Amino acid sequence: MRRRKQVISSIQDDILDSIPTDEILDNISTQIGKMVFQLGIELGLSIADLENIDKCNCDLTAQSKDVLFRWRGDRLVRPTIRVLEQALVNSRKGARCLEEVVKNVDPKTLRAVETATDKIRNNANRIIQEIQISQILDHMIAYLVISVDDRRRIEQHAGQDDQNKALLDIVIERKEPAFSVFVEGLRNYGYADIADDLKCDSQEVGPSTTLVALEHEGLSDWTVPLYKICLQKNYLKVITDIQHECIVDHLITKEVMSVDDGKKIESGKTPQEKNRMLMETLLRKNVHGFSEFLVALRKDPVYTNLADQIENTAVTMKDMAILHKCYE
C-alpha cells in the first residue's frame, strides 16, 4: 500500500477542473525528468504502454509528452488538471511545476478549448456525412490555419468521408484559431446550420497561449519566407480570379516550373482546380518563382492590382505564429 498525500492546491478550482490544453502538457513535459514513469503509473497507464514509450524514445521530455498525451486521450476518467496535480504529488515530483505552468492561464480559454473539441465530436457524424470540404479548405488555407501540404494529405484519401475525418482531426489538434476559421468556412459555404451548432465561446476569447508565446519570442527558432505567407493570404483571390494559361507559360519559360508541372496543372478538371495546383506548385518554389509570378500577372492589365495586392500584403507576427502550427 502507498500512502497518498492529499493535495492542498493553490490553483483555482475552475482551472483544476478543466482538461489541460496541448500548451500546458507541452510546458509541463519539460519539467518531469526522471519521474516520468512513476507519473505514468499514477496517471493509470499500463506497464505495456510505459514499456512501449521507453522503447520508442530515450529522450525524457519526449517520454513525458507521450505519457501526458496518452493519459489525456483516455476519457474513461476525465483527465483534469486536478488529476494531474494529484499524480505529480503521488509520484514525488510535486505540484510546484504545474502551478508555474498554469499561473497565467485564463480559465475561459480552457473552457472554450474543451467546449470546441466536444462540439466537434458531438457533431462529427453530421460533418463527415454532409459537407463537401473543397471550398472550406480554400478558406482555411487563406487564413493560414492549414497549409497546402495539409490539403494534399487530406485529399489523398479516396472517399469524402475519410477526407472530412482527416480535416476534423486537424481542427481538433490545432484548436484555435483553426476551429473558428473552420466554423466560419462552414457558414460561408452553405452549412450555416452546422456552424450554428458548433459556435461557442472559443470564438470570443483571445489568442491561444501558443500564439502569444511565439509572437513574444519572435519565432526565433522557426521562420518561413514572407512571400509564401503573402501568397497564401491571397489564395482565394488567385484561385477564383485568374486565367492560368499565360501565367503558367511564363513560369515555364523562366524555368520556375517544368513542363511536367504545367501538365499537372492542366490536368485539373475545372479552372479552380487548375489554379489550386498552380498555387500549390508556387508555394513550393523559391522567391524567384514568386517574383516571376508577379511579373506574369502584371503582363495582363487585368491582374495588375492583384499583383500589387499580393506584393504589398502585410505579414504580422501573428500570421507567422498561426502558420507555424501547420509545421509543428
Side-chain angles (χ1 to χ4, degrees):
M1 293 180 64
R2 288 176 294 181
R3 189 180 301 276
R4 295 176 182 270
K5 178 181 178 182
Q6 186 61 41
V7 177
I8 301 175
S9 183
S10 64
I11 302 171
Q12 60 193 83
D13 285 342
D14 49 359
I15 291 179
L16 285 172
D17 292 330
S18 299
I19 295 173
T21 62
D22 291 358
E23 291 87 356
I24 290 173
L25 297 188
D26 284 340
N27 289 333
I28 199 69
S29 67
T30 64
Q31 303 183 51
I32 304 301
K34 295 180 180 180
M35 306 305 293
V36 55
F37 293 113
Q38 290 93 323
L39 177 63
I41 290 169
E42 293 294 341
L43 290 172
L45 271 67
S46 69
I47 298 299
D49 282 340
L50 294 173
E51 287 177 346
N52 187 53
I53 291 169
D54 188 36
K55 187 186 305 180
C56 293
N57 204 320
C58 59
D59 178 75
L60 287 175
T61 298
Q63 289 178 345
S64 298
K65 188 177 294 189
D66 201 347
V67 164
L68 291 169
F69 277 81
R70 287 194 191 206
W71 159 71
R72 192 185 64 181
D74 181 4
R75 293 301 184 99
L76 294 176
V77 176
R78 193 167 186 270
T80 63
I81 293 172
R82 189 185 302 275
V83 173
L84 176 57
E85 182 182 46
Q86 184 67 60
L88 285 165
V89 171
N90 293 346
S91 65
R92 301 196 304 279
K93 176 62 188 175
R96 187 181 297 273
C97 57
L98 181 61
E99 292 168 6
E100 285 297 309
V101 166
V102 302
K103 68 180 180 181
N104 295 318
V105 169
D106 183 350
K108 291 182 180 178
T109 302
L110 287 176
R111 289 197 300 273
V113 168
E114 185 177 339
T115 300
T117 302
D118 289 341
K119 280 181 175 284
I120 289 177
R121 288 180 170 142
N122 291 339
N123 289 276
N125 288 338
R126 288 178 66 201
I127 296 169
I128 290 166
Q129 294 169 15
E130 295 180 21
I131 72 171
Q132 299 289 320
I133 62 171
S134 186
Q135 290 179 301
I136 294 169
L137 294 178
D138 294 337
H139 178 81
M140 295 178 75
I141 288 173
Y143 283 89
L144 308 176
V145 296
I146 64 171
S147 67
V148 292
D149 291 330
D150 291 323
R151 179 178 207 137
R152 173 176 284 189
R153 284 189 286 269
I154 290 166
E155 293 183 337
Q156 75 183 359
H157 296 284
Q160 185 66 54
D161 286 4
D162 289 334
Q163 290 181 12
N164 293 354
K165 288 177 186 175
L167 174 57
L168 287 186
D169 286 343
I170 288 176
V171 174
I172 289 171
E173 177 188 351
R174 293 184 187 161
K175 302 181 174 64
E176 286 294 347
F179 176 79
S180 293
V181 174
F182 173 62
V183 172
E184 183 182 44
L186 288 169
R187 189 177 304 284
N188 289 351
Y189 295 105
Y191 304 101
D193 56 335
I194 299 178
D196 288 340
D197 288 342
L198 291 178
K199 183 174 172 57
C200 62
D201 292 340
S202 66
Q203 293 166 271
E204 299 171 6
V205 299
S208 74
T209 54
T210 295
L211 298 189
V212 172
L214 286 167
E215 289 183 56
H216 287 169
E217 291 167 8
L219 291 119
S220 57
D221 61 344
W222 184 86
T223 57
V224 66
L226 299 188
Y227 70 86
K228 293 192 176 184
I229 299 179
C230 292
L231 274 176
Q232 198 161 324
K233 289 181 76 171
N234 288 279
Y235 186 89
L236 285 171
K237 193 76 173 170
V238 172
I239 68 168
T240 56
D241 285 7
I242 71 168
Q243 297 291 322
H244 72 284
E245 291 88 349
C246 292
I247 292 168
V248 171
D249 289 344
H250 175 86
L251 295 173
I252 291 174
T253 300
K254 295 299 181 178
E255 298 184 344
V256 171
M257 292 183 181
S258 66
V259 173
D260 286 341
D261 288 332
K263 289 179 179 177
K264 181 179 177 182
I265 291 167
E266 203 57 48
S267 69
K269 295 178 181 178
T270 66
Q272 277 203 350
E273 282 187 17
K274 293 173 182 179
N275 288 340
R276 287 182 187 117
M277 292 182 189
L278 169 60
M279 285 293 280
E280 180 179 330
T281 306
L282 277 172
L283 285 163
R284 291 191 170 90
K285 302 298 181 181
N286 57 24
V287 69
H288 173 62
F290 175 72
S291 299
E292 290 297 341
F293 176 60
L294 296 182
V295 169
L297 287 174
R298 289 186 172 119
K299 281 187 171 184
D300 188 332
V302 174
Y303 301 136
T304 300
N305 288 339
L306 176 58
D308 292 343
Q309 177 181 313
I310 294 171
E311 187 172 34
N312 297 320
T313 297
V315 177
T316 66
M317 294 302 295
K318 183 177 180 181
D319 292 332
M320 296 179 69
I322 291 171
L323 191 59
H324 173 268
K325 290 177 74 68
C326 300
Y327 294 93
E328 288 182 322

